[in-house]
Amino acid sequence: MKRYNLLLQNIPDFVKHLQAQGEVLAPHTKGDNSFSFDKVTDANNVILDYNRTLQSIRKFFLPPTERLLNYSLTENTFTKVEIENNQRIFLGVHSYDMQAVLKLDFNFSDRTPEVNYLKRRENCTFIGVSFEPDDFHFSRSVGITVEATEGFDIFLNRHENGYEVQVLTERGEGIIKGFNALENAPELAETNRQFKNKIKFNHNRLPEVMEQSWKSPVWDEVAKRCVGCGTCNLVCPTCYCFNVVDNVDLSLKDGSRDRHWDGCMLNSFAAVAGGENFRETLASRQRHRIYRKFKYITDKTGDPWCVGCGRCAAYCTADISIVEIINQLSDEFEQNYLRKSAAPAEQII
Amino acid sequence: MTLSTQEHNPRELYYPEMAEITAIKQYTELEKWYEITLPGGRDLEHQPGQFAIFSLFGIGEAAISICSAPSKKGAFDICVRKVGMLTEKLHQLEIGQKIGVRGPFGTGFPVADFKGKDILIIGGGIGIVPLRSLINHVIDNRDDFGRLVILYGAKNPQELLFPDELQKWNDDPRIEYQVTVDQGSPEWQGNTGVITTLIPGLDLDLDNTIAAIVGPPIMYKFVLMALKSKRLPDENIYMSLERRMKCGVGKCGHCQINDSYVCLDGPVYHFPDIKNLPEAI
Amino acid sequence: MTTQTAPKTKIKIAYFDFTSCEGCQLNKLNLENHILDLLEHVEIVEFREAMDDKADSYDVAFIEGSISTPTCVERIHDIRRRAKILVALGSCASIGGINAMKNLQPIEDVREIVYGEDKYLFPTLPAMPLSAIVKVDYEIHGCPMSIPEFLQVFKALAMGKAPIKPDSPVCVECKLRENECLFDRGMVCLGPITRSGCDAICPSFGQFCTGCRGLVPNPNKNAMLDILTDHGLSLQEAEKRLLLFNSYQHPDTFK
Ligand SMILES: Cc1cc2nc3c(=O)[nH]c(=O)nc-3n(C[C@H](O)[C@H](O)[C@H](O)COP(=O)(O)OP(=O)(O)OC[C@H]3O[C@@H](n4cnc5c(N)ncnc54)[C@H](O)[C@@H]3O)c2cc1C
Ligand code: SF4
Ligand code: SF4
Ligand code: SF4
Ligand code: SF4
Ligand code: SF4
Ligand code: FES
């Protein structure tokens, strides 16, 4: 691995160097206190020092709304929609959001590989950046450090007056080639940034905790405070559920079949004809969301399907924290099952 | 890291094939039967119990079971209850018009494993629709199977589907057919009562009987209880479950039952695989 | 190939208004860009005044405003008899809207007042949505009503299909647009329990949602009150906020 040093004052030039090679997507300010990944038009507007973006970069691979096909009502025919896969360089991605993309890669290639997502994933370069964990990040608890480089082509590790540039792949090397404003790498002590927010148990024990939590009173307690707004699904970088609707234009002659993000916390997500709603209560929906992150997919892949970005808690207007939920379930598990370890665990599920 | 997608064999999952409606029968006020022909009379190549996603442009898509057996060549059948956007519009279509088809999707009944067994069909309401593909498969390969017992329950006599075939099932000496309705009518001479009332009277060869159950959500629990008191082993029970579906290919998430995706792992389930899923029944 | 889902004939529509803040009035709304396209598919048989000799039935009647006098009651019955599909336009018609704020004294059984023998003695009634008197097939919510939703419903009806009734909260649309949440700017917003369909128009322009499209089905109102009070409103202020557009449908909920 090649290492360099990038001084703060050279960052705009670095961004311009990237822009010469493809579309660059990077964090910008949004609103009063927030950030969002957008296409770079002015290199000076790129922000590398940020806590989290409102939406993760999944929006570039699974857009909030996406046209699946166009049709003509008068002809009763459809045309295919071209899926763009231009060279794109993602600059300033946090380790947990990169891990989330790798998880979505699994979801969209597993069993029925979907060309819409997978094609958009081609020709992407990822340049990671370190961050200072705030009160909501807890990636460490799900096995992702600030400095985790998996998935990145280049990683920028912040130090006092700039970034240590780690060139991780051939692609990364190709991207950086010709950029001369790099210095020799600084001698850095091993960095290992600490997280304030933590899950109590090691994450590999959580499926076991969930196994015993189906009937926990925690679900009802959380449901009392939850308004079912779906925010926690819609901001989650590893959520990928969607709805499909047909839209027609005003001529009533042409239209499109479109999909848009959906979420299992929403009231009618599991409702079918005849009035049956298979997850009618907020408690059952909250439980499903948490199990999706720490049990269902985990049982199949061995990994938690939450990357600890903290978005669901940071953006929940009711201040519901996934870490608190997990820790409450863990406390209960400890009290009910570990203390009386002599008794065999009751099979609840 | 760029993803080399070639190794994943990405597929176009959402483009329908345009197929033609080649026959229509109206069974009840709400239910119609259609014969659908793919371009060139190509076979859908489905298993009994599988479904496909049907669509009309500007209206939407819906999951519908294939209700003909694979032995029907050149076309296949569906039976549709009018409940909402797509199904309502479908009911207005005529012979010769075209609809979009994606599929077949999901699991079917593992009919190869059923060879030599007695088949017990338990269908409630519109649940008889997916079961008809299994029934017809057994009828068309009659010597491969043992007894064919059909229990069919409907709300009232007007709601009985496939009326032309019910008579044949009734008359066929190699089919033990029983029907019941929740509410009779003056002309109704048959059984009244819920479908579970037909179960205690059955004389079953327990180890050699496969039960296939499809019905409204409420039905499963009671049918399972009745079969349990008959001591039919769980391993011999298959059922098809319905959930909300948007994609049919394991992506949209709507059809999940705990960790299972009904469009991939179902709709036909082997009972032992789902009896521990609290959201299943 | 024959046209299957495209409309074949023009639908007959009628338009009426009752007591409203006049904010919705179809003719005033910014529909100009669309009006010609719309007219392709419809024949307008009545506009504002019902004239008996003009048309005795309509495919769709659009009605704005709430019911607040006994004459309104008679008129709405008459329209209902003639209309195959009746659509309420705007919150006054769909949920009683701001007009219903005046009913904050508890509404007795509305129907009894309306149909009781003394009905002509009441010059005004508590403001009510159309659905308090007649069956309403579809509602276009909002104050003023949402144009995208109006077009959506209009297109669906012209195609002969049931319009989708949005039932998720405004937050969903807000998240799809990647807005910064107004709670993070020190405001309070009713988006979490308000019915979507307006494309989160207010939050997208930095204005908190006042709930003009009514509540989602199964709202968790207590949790919403907690959110509002946790973000600085007194309980009284929070209740008042929620009542602004929901006082007809939910007169007692927030007391
Ligand atoms: C595997 C499988 C097999 C099936 N086989 C058959 C079959 O053989 N025959 C048959 O008739 N049906 C079958 N169904 C059921 C059929 O798919 C549904 O009834 C489907 O909803 C019909 O689509 P629709 O557009 O007509 O109804 P929709 O317009 O989708 O509405 C039907 C109802 O579903 C709910 N709903 C749907 N969409 C929404 C929404 N966006 N927001 C809120 N609520 C909504 C509502 O309760 C609504 O009343 C099957 C379903 C599955 C999963
Ligand atoms: S964001 Fe919060 S209030 Fe909204 S659904 Fe999720 S947990 Fe409930
Ligand atoms: S569950 Fe919450 S913390 Fe975990 S990845 Fe999703 S949004 Fe982030
Ligand atoms: S089921 Fe729920 S938690 Fe899982 S991906 Fe879908 S929305 Fe997210
Ligand atoms: S601004 Fe309002 S609508 Fe938007 S997310 Fe926040 S609470 Fe929801
Ligand atoms: S954001 Fe709220 S107040 Fe604004 S139009 Fe939508 S529902 Fe009405
Ligand atoms: S129907 Fe979309 S995941 Fe099963």
Side-chain angles (χ1 to χ4, degrees):
Chain A
M1 177 183 73
K2 294 214 175 86
R3 292 164 62 245
Y4 303 98
N5 193 29
L6 177 63
L7 293 177
L8 288 183
Q9 68 259 31
N10 291 331
I11 288 175
D13 285 340
F14 181 59
V15 176
K16 284 178 202 149
H17 172 81
L18 299 175
Q19 282 178 293
Q21 303 174 62
E23 188 177 40
V24 181
L25 300 141
H28 292 70
T29 54
K30 172 120 189 187
D32 291 351
N33 318 299
S34 307
F35 303 94
S36 117
F37 257 93
D38 287 304
K39 187 181 165 163
V40 178
T41 49
D42 180 345
N44 293 305
N45 292 343
V46 171
I47 310 278
L48 289 182
D49 194 5
Y50 68 100
N51 54 358
R52 64 178 57 70
T53 48
L54 290 164
Q55 289 291 355
S56 73
I57 54 174
R58 84 171 162 148
K59 68 179 181 180
F60 296 103
F61 310 118
L62 179 67
T65 56
E66 173 182 356
R67 194 162 275 210
L68 295 177
L69 52 87
N70 293 306
Y71 48 75
S72 154
L73 293 180
T74 40
E75 307 286 320
N76 202 27
T77 53
F78 70 92
T79 49
K80 297 185 176 183
V81 173
E82 201 183 330
I83 301 159
E84 304 259 334
N85 66 346
N86 303 334
Q87 289 289 339
R88 287 193 290 189
I89 301 165
F90 291 85
L91 170 64
V93 179
H94 289 170
S95 55
Y96 52 81
D97 275 348
M98 188 69 239
Q99 288 293 320
V101 171
L102 301 180
K103 292 190 193 302
L104 289 183
D105 288 353
F106 172 83
N107 295 124
F108 281 95
S109 54
D110 185 38
R111 301 175 79 178
T112 43
E114 188 205 272
V115 73
N116 305 52
Y117 174 94
L118 291 171
K119 194 156 177 209
R120 287 198 192 87
R121 271 288 282 110
E122 292 175 341
N123 302 324
C124 292
T125 305
F126 295 96
I127 303 178
V129 71
S130 61
F131 61 96
E132 288 305 324
D134 69 6
D135 290 345
F136 293 105
H137 292 113
F138 62 100
S139 327
R140 189 71 193 267
S141 303
V142 287
I144 304 165
T145 61
V146 171
E147 301 84 6
T149 59
E150 191 193 358
F152 291 128
D153 299 290
I154 295 173
F155 187 72
L156 305 177
N157 198 1
R158 185 85 160 92
H159 58 76
E160 232 166 288
N161 42 23
Y163 291 90
E164 175 204 17
V165 181
Q166 304 174 7
V167 183
L168 300 157
T169 64
E170 253 172 59
R171 202 179 177 85
E173 228 163 283
I175 287 276
I176 210 148
K177 211 164 101 194
F179 182 64
N180 297 322
L182 290 173
E183 340 252 307
N184 287 336
E187 278 314 313
L188 291 179
E190 182 92 346
T191 42
N192 194 353
R193 292 170 180 85
Q194 296 301 308
F195 285 79
K196 288 170 256 179
N197 198 13
K198 287 182 186 131
I199 294 179
K200 230 178 119 142
F201 281 9
N202 187 311
H203 65 80
N204 60 23
R205 292 184 57 199
L206 296 178
E208 188 191 351
V209 174
M210 296 299 146
E211 187 88 29
Q212 306 299 345
S213 301
W214 184 260
K215 291 182 174 161
S216 164
V218 169
W219 307 121
D220 281 324
E221 285 159 25
V222 177
K224 279 195 199 125
R225 294 161 51 211
C226 168
V227 285
C229 67
T231 291
C232 46
N233 297 137
L234 296 157
V235 299
C236 178
T238 65
C239 274
Y240 56 98
C241 290
F242 58 84
N243 195 6
V244 181
V245 286
D246 275 31
N247 290 307
V248 290
D249 64 20
L250 269 179
S251 70
L252 304 188
K253 294 191 174 92
D254 301 297
S256 57
R257 184 160 292 156
D258 305 316
R259 71 168 164 192
H260 55 79
W261 291 347
D262 205 344
C264 62
M265 288 303 295
L266 296 169
N267 191 39
S268 58
F269 187 80
V272 296
E276 186 83 27
N277 185 344
F278 290 98
R279 260 174 247 108
E280 196 159 17
T281 63
L282 276 167
S284 63
R285 301 208 286 275
Q286 190 66 256
R287 179 175 58 203
H288 187 72
R289 174 174 84 98
I290 304 292
Y291 274 47
R292 283 283 291 172
K293 301 301 166 195
F294 291 101
K295 177 153 176 63
Y296 296 154
I297 312 184
T298 309
D299 284 345
K300 295 185 171 125
T301 63
D303 293 318
W305 229 243
C306 160
V307 295
C309 70
R311 285 185 180 90
C312 54
Y315 301 134
C316 171
T317 51
D319 290 331
I320 290 168
S321 150
I322 191 167
V323 170
E324 268 169 38
I325 296 176
I326 303 288
N327 285 345
Q328 280 169 10
L329 296 174
S330 303
D331 284 345
E332 245 179 43
F333 176 77
E334 203 163 38
Q335 274 161 22
N336 294 342
Y337 299 98
L338 297 187
R339 298 271 155 81
K340 337 172 189 154
S341 56
E346 184 195 348
Q347 188 70 28
I348 292 181
I349 292 192
Chain B
M1 189 199 71
T2 190
L3 197 69
S4 160
T5 60
Q6 288 324 309
E7 67 200 63
H8 293 297
N9 269 321
R11 285 166 29 204
E12 292 177 336
L13 300 174
Y14 308 116
Y15 296 135
E17 184 167 16
M18 300 310 289
E20 192 175 325
I21 298 175
T22 42
I24 302 178
K25 282 186 237 174
Q26 175 121 29
Y27 283 146
T28 73
E29 200 192 324
L30 291 179
E31 279 110 357
K32 274 188 173 182
W33 169 96
Y34 299 83
E35 183 190 69
I36 312 283
T37 306
L38 288 171
R42 190 173 60 79
D43 287 328
L44 188 63
E45 296 184 3
H46 68 286
Q47 288 295 306
Q50 281 192 298
F51 68 97
I53 302 267
F54 294 84
S55 64
L56 289 171
F57 299 132
I59 309 293
E61 296 190 302
I64 304 287
S65 309
I66 312 300
C67 70
S68 52
S71 40
K72 171 164 179 161
K73 295 294 168 196
F76 62 89
D77 305 345
I78 57 175
C79 180
V80 180
R81 172 176 286 182
K82 185 164 75 169
V83 296
M85 278 202 281
L86 179 96
T87 49
E88 188 135 338
K89 207 75 191 176
L90 199 55
H91 269 237
Q92 295 165 12
L93 295 190
E94 290 157 15
I95 291 177
Q97 295 193 300
K98 289 196 173 162
I99 61 173
V101 182
R102 298 191 287 125
F105 294 134
T107 54
F109 292 99
V111 283
D113 301 347
F114 294 177
K115 279 203 174 150
K117 308 265 185 187
D118 294 348
I119 309 294
L120 167 62
I121 304 277
I122 304 176
I126 195 166
I128 198 71
V129 170
L131 288 169
R132 179 191 182 246
S133 66
L134 177 62
I135 293 170
N136 283 357
H137 176 81
V138 174
I139 292 175
D140 291 345
N141 301 276
R142 196 63 197 87
D143 295 335
D144 289 352
F145 301 90
R147 293 163 63 194
L148 174 57
V149 183
I150 302 175
L151 309 183
Y152 178 23
K155 275 212 194 88
N156 54 54
Q158 298 81 45
E159 290 191 12
L160 290 171
L161 300 175
F162 310 113
D164 35 355
E165 287 162 52
L166 300 185
Q167 193 57 47
K168 276 192 232 152
W169 297 348
N170 197 40
D171 298 344
D172 189 329
R174 296 183 72 189
I175 300 176
E176 301 159 56
Y177 169 69
Q178 292 191 61
V179 58
T180 178
V181 296
D182 298 354
Q183 266 182 336
S185 64
E187 311 85 63
W188 181 250
Q189 314 243 306
N191 301 309
T192 51
V194 292
I195 193 159
T196 39
T197 55
L198 300 178
I199 296 174
L202 293 176
D203 177 21
L204 301 176
D205 174 0
L206 292 176
D207 291 330
N208 199 42
T209 299
I210 296 288
I213 313 167
V214 191
I218 179 84
M219 190 192 89
Y220 293 93
K221 202 192 285 175
F222 295 103
V223 167
L224 285 168
M225 267 160 35
L227 290 178
K228 203 174 180 87
S229 42
K230 288 272 327 165
R231 303 189 180 281
L232 187 73
D234 291 349
E235 290 70 46
N236 294 12
I237 300 176
Y238 291 79
M239 53 184 65
S240 176
L241 300 179
E242 185 192 328
R243 287 298 183 272
R244 184 157 177 164
M245 287 191 178
K246 283 290 166 187
C247 71
V249 290
K251 298 293 179 245
C252 76
H254 284 272
C255 67
Q256 297 169 56
I257 296 177
N258 299 98
D259 63 347
S260 179
Y261 276 68
V262 177
C263 64
L264 298 177
D265 306 318
V268 176
Y269 287 96
H270 191 198
F271 180 47
D273 294 340
I274 49 165
K275 68 177 175 191
N276 293 326
L277 295 185
E279 289 182 345
I281 287 152
Chain C
M1 190 53 237
T2 44
T3 301
Q4 293 180 178
T5 45
K8 293 171 188 85
T9 49
K10 288 194 173 195
I11 55 168
K12 285 198 278 183
I13 66 165
Y15 163 77
F16 305 99
D17 57 351
F18 287 80
T19 321
S20 75
C21 57
E22 310 258 302
C24 283
Q25 289 192 21
L26 257 191
N27 43 348
K28 280 208 292 189
L29 286 174
N30 214 358
L31 274 168
E32 290 90 8
N33 301 339
H34 306 303
I35 222 87
L36 284 179
D37 283 326
L38 294 187
L39 292 178
E40 286 265 306
H41 313 298
V42 301
E43 179 191 344
I44 299 179
V45 290
E46 306 223 358
F47 199 76
R48 311 197 89 180
E49 291 306 315
M51 285 173 284
D52 290 50
D53 51 330
K54 221 177 151 193
D56 42 30
S57 74
Y58 340 110
D59 293 313
V60 186
F62 290 101
I63 299 169
E64 69 181 61
S66 50
I67 303 293
S68 55
T69 67
T71 331
C72 296
V73 175
E74 283 181 22
R75 228 176 124 208
I76 189 73
H77 277 302
D78 182 50
I79 297 169
R80 178 71 265 192
R81 267 192 295 275
R82 297 154 182 261
K84 282 191 206 133
I85 294 172
L86 192 147
V87 183
L89 291 189
S91 354
C92 295
S94 71
I95 54 175
I98 292 195
N99 283 331
M101 279 291 272
K102 73 172 178 184
N103 339 324
L104 284 182
Q105 69 275 25
I107 301 176
E108 309 292 334
D109 188 349
V110 169
R111 283 171 195 276
E112 202 182 298
I113 300 177
V114 176
Y115 298 107
E117 46 186 335
D118 297 334
K119 69 176 177 179
Y120 294 109
L121 298 179
F122 287 85
T124 85
L125 300 165
M128 293 172 278
L130 308 181
S131 58
I133 309 292
V134 292
K135 175 170 172 273
V136 172
D137 299 293
Y138 301 104
E139 291 165 335
I140 295 166
H141 298 279
C143 178
M145 67 153 180
S146 146
I147 301 223
E149 190 178 34
F150 173 76
L151 296 175
Q152 193 69 36
V153 170
F154 188 94
K155 287 186 286 189
L157 294 178
M159 286 178 67
K161 74 170 179 178
I164 295 174
K165 300 181 180 177
D167 68 350
S168 56
V170 174
C171 290
V172 170
E173 295 174 334
C174 206
K175 290 298 176 273
L176 260 62
R177 296 180 69 152
E178 203 177 355
N179 292 332
E180 177 178 59
C181 181
L182 295 173
F183 279 95
D184 292 333
R185 289 196 206 169
M187 293 184 222
V188 294
C189 177
L190 293 191
I193 55 163
T194 299
R195 184 198 315 272
S196 63
C198 56
D199 208 13
I201 182 92
C202 303
S204 301
F205 286 98
Q207 291 289 321
F208 55 82
C209 171
T210 55
C212 82
R213 295 173 50 73
L215 299 178
V216 291
N218 305 324
N220 188 347
K221 282 163 281 189
N222 289 333
M224 191 67 223
L225 285 175
D226 286 346
I227 293 174
L228 296 176
T229 50
D230 285 350
H231 286 82
L233 298 195
S234 69
L235 187 59
Q236 219 185 1
E237 288 168 328
E239 287 172 342
K240 222 165 135 192
R241 239 325 141 119
L242 277 170
L243 277 172
L244 184 59
F245 283 99
N246 298 305
S247 41
Y248 177 77
Q249 281 183 315
H250 307 277
D252 306 319
T253 320
F254 304 112
K255 293 246 165 72

